[in-house]
C-alpha cells in the first residue's frame, strides 16, 4: 500500500485534501503521469490558473495551481465511487473540474477492480513514518523531545529513574478549529539505557482518534513490538472518544 499525504480527511475517509507543498510534492512523486502533466503545464510559462487530474487506485486525484507561484496550490482526493454532486468536493472545485471528474468516474467505473486499490490517504508530518493509514512512528530523538515538551510530559519521559528500563508515557494532543476538536493520541517512549548506549526516544501517534478508534489494536501491537507495555484499560479510560463528543 502507498499513501497520499493529507491535511484533512473526511470522517468516512471518502475524500481529503492538502495545501502543504511538501506533501503535494510527495504525492506527485507517486503518480508520475500527473506529475509529468503538471511539469509540462508549468513549463509553458503562461502563468494562468490550471487544473490537472487523474485516477490512482480508488482515488480521483485533482491538482490545482494559480500558475504563478505555490500560493493556492491544492491537491484533492475523492473516492471515485461516491456521488460527486452530493459530496463535499462539489463545493471545493469549479463546475468545469467537477464535470471532468464525472467523466473520469464514468470511464473508470467499468474497469476498476479491487486489486487496483493500492493507495490510501493518511495524516503524516515530517519526521514520521507511516505504519498504517493515520498511525505513524517517529524515532528522531529531538523531534520526540520537542513533542514531549509541547505536550507537557517532558519531565516524565526524561526522568533518570529506572533509566535501564523502557518507559511509556501516554499523552493527548487537542487541536481546535472553530467548533471542531481533533484529538491525537501519543505513546511517547524512552528506550532502555544499556551499558554501551544512552537511552533513545520514539513515539507512536494515532491521528484523529475519534474517527480512527478502530486502530487501537494496531496501536497496541506496534507499541508492544517496540518493547513497551500496553494497558487497554488505561488507554480506553484516557482516550475514550466519548470524552470529546
Amino acid at each position: 500500500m502507498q499513501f497520499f499525504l493529507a491535511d484533512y480527511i473526511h470522517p468516512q475517509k471518502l475524500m481529503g485534501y492538502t495545501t502543504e507543498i511538501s506533501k503535494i510534492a510527495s504525492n506527485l512523486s507517486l503518480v508520475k503521469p500527473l506529475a509529468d502533466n503538471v511539469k509540462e503545464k508549468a513549463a509553458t510559462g503562461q502563468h494562468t490558473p490550471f487544473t490537472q487530474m487523474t485516477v490512482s487506485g480508488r482515488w480521483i486525484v485533482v491538482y490545482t495551481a494559480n500558475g504563478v507561484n505555490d500560493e493556492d496550490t491544492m491537491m484533492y482526493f475523492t473516492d471515485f465511487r461516491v456521488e460527486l454532486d452530493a459530496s463535499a468536493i462539489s463545493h471545493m472545485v469549479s463546475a468545469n473540474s467537477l464535470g471532468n471528474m464525472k467523466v473520469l468516474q464514468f470511464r473508470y467505473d467499468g474497469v476498476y477492480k479491487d486489486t487496483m486499490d493500492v493507495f490510501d490517504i493518511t495524516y503524516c508530518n515530517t519526521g514520521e513514518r507511516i505504519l498504517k493509514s493515520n498511525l505513524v512512528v517517529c524515532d528522531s530523538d529531538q523531534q520526540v523531545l520537542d513533542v514531549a515538551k509541547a505536550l507537557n510530559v517532558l519531565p516524565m519521559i526524561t526522568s533518570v529513574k529506572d533509566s535501564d528500563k523502557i518507559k511509556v508515557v501516554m499523552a493527548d494532543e487537542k487541536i481546535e478549529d472553530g467548533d471542531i476538536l481533533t484529538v491525537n493520541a501519543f505513546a511517547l517512549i524512552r528506550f532502555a539505557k544499556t551499558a554501551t548506549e544512552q537511552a533513545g526516544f520514539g513515539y507512536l501517534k494515532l491521528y484523529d482518534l475519534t474517527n480512527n478508534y478502530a486502530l487501537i489494536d494496531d496501536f497496541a501491537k506496534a507499541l508492544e513490538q517496540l518493547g513497551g507495555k500496553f494497558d487497554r484499560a488505561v488507554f480506553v479510560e484516557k482516550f475514550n472518544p466519548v470524552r470529546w463528543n
Side-chain angles (χ1 to χ4, degrees), residues 71-89:
E71 292 183 13
D72 306 318
T73 301
M74 294 192 70
M75 183 174 278
Y76 305 91
F77 310 94
T78 303
D79 190 315
F80 86 97
R81 297 166 295 188
V82 305
E83 174 54 53
L84 289 173
D85 283 323
S87 70
I89 198 71

Side-chain angles (χ1 to χ4, degrees), residues 13-196:
K13 299 182 181 179
L14 299 175
M15 67 84 64
Y17 66 79
T18 180
T19 60
E20 189 172 322
I21 298 304
S22 62
K23 292 182 180 180
I24 292 173
S26 174
N27 295 335
L28 284 174
S29 71
L30 300 178
V31 192
K32 190 176 186 303
L34 181 61
D36 289 344
N37 289 342
V38 169
K39 185 176 181 179
E40 290 174 7
K41 188 68 176 179
T44 63
Q46 294 181 357
H47 302 303
T48 56
F50 68 93
T51 298
Q52 296 288 328
M53 63 182 69
T54 190
V55 183
S56 296
R58 69 180 185 275
W59 303 100
I60 299 176
V61 184
V62 181
Y63 174 99
T64 65
N66 62 23
V68 178
N69 52 41
D70 289 336
E71 292 183 13
D72 306 318
T73 301
M74 294 192 70
M75 183 174 278
Y76 305 91
F77 310 94
T78 303
D79 190 315
F80 86 97
R81 297 166 295 188
V82 305
E83 174 54 53
L84 289 173
D85 283 323
S87 70
I89 198 71
S90 65
H91 304 291
M92 304 177 74
V93 299
S94 67
N96 184 59
S97 292
L98 189 65
N100 289 334
M101 291 174 69
K102 290 179 181 179
V103 172
L104 279 179
Q105 182 184 50
F106 177 78
R107 292 175 177 172
Y108 200 57
D109 188 50
V111 299
Y112 177 79
K113 299 178 182 178
D114 288 341
T115 54
M116 300 164 69
D117 186 16
V118 295
F119 289 94
D120 205 350
I121 56 177
T122 186
Y123 293 110
C124 182
N125 288 324
T126 302
E128 297 174 344
R129 179 165 48 88
I130 301 166
L131 298 179
K132 196 169 185 177
S133 180
N134 301 318
L135 178 63
V136 303
V137 63
C138 175
D139 57 8
S140 167
D141 285 357
Q142 190 56 56
Q143 182 163 334
V144 176
L145 294 174
D146 288 344
V147 167
K149 183 177 181 180
L151 298 177
N152 297 314
V153 296
L154 184 60
M156 298 173 65
I157 199 67
T158 57
S159 171
V160 296
K161 184 179 180 181
D162 296 327
S163 61
D164 59 335
K165 298 179 181 179
I166 290 178
K167 186 173 186 179
V168 178
V169 176
M170 296 291 186
D172 58 73
E173 176 185 45
K174 301 181 181 69
I175 301 174
E176 294 186 39
D177 184 7
D179 295 331
I180 299 175
L181 175 65
T182 300
V183 179
N184 301 320
F186 282 87
L188 296 110
I189 308 161
R190 185 197 65 199
F191 297 102
K193 179 181 178 181
T194 68
T196 57

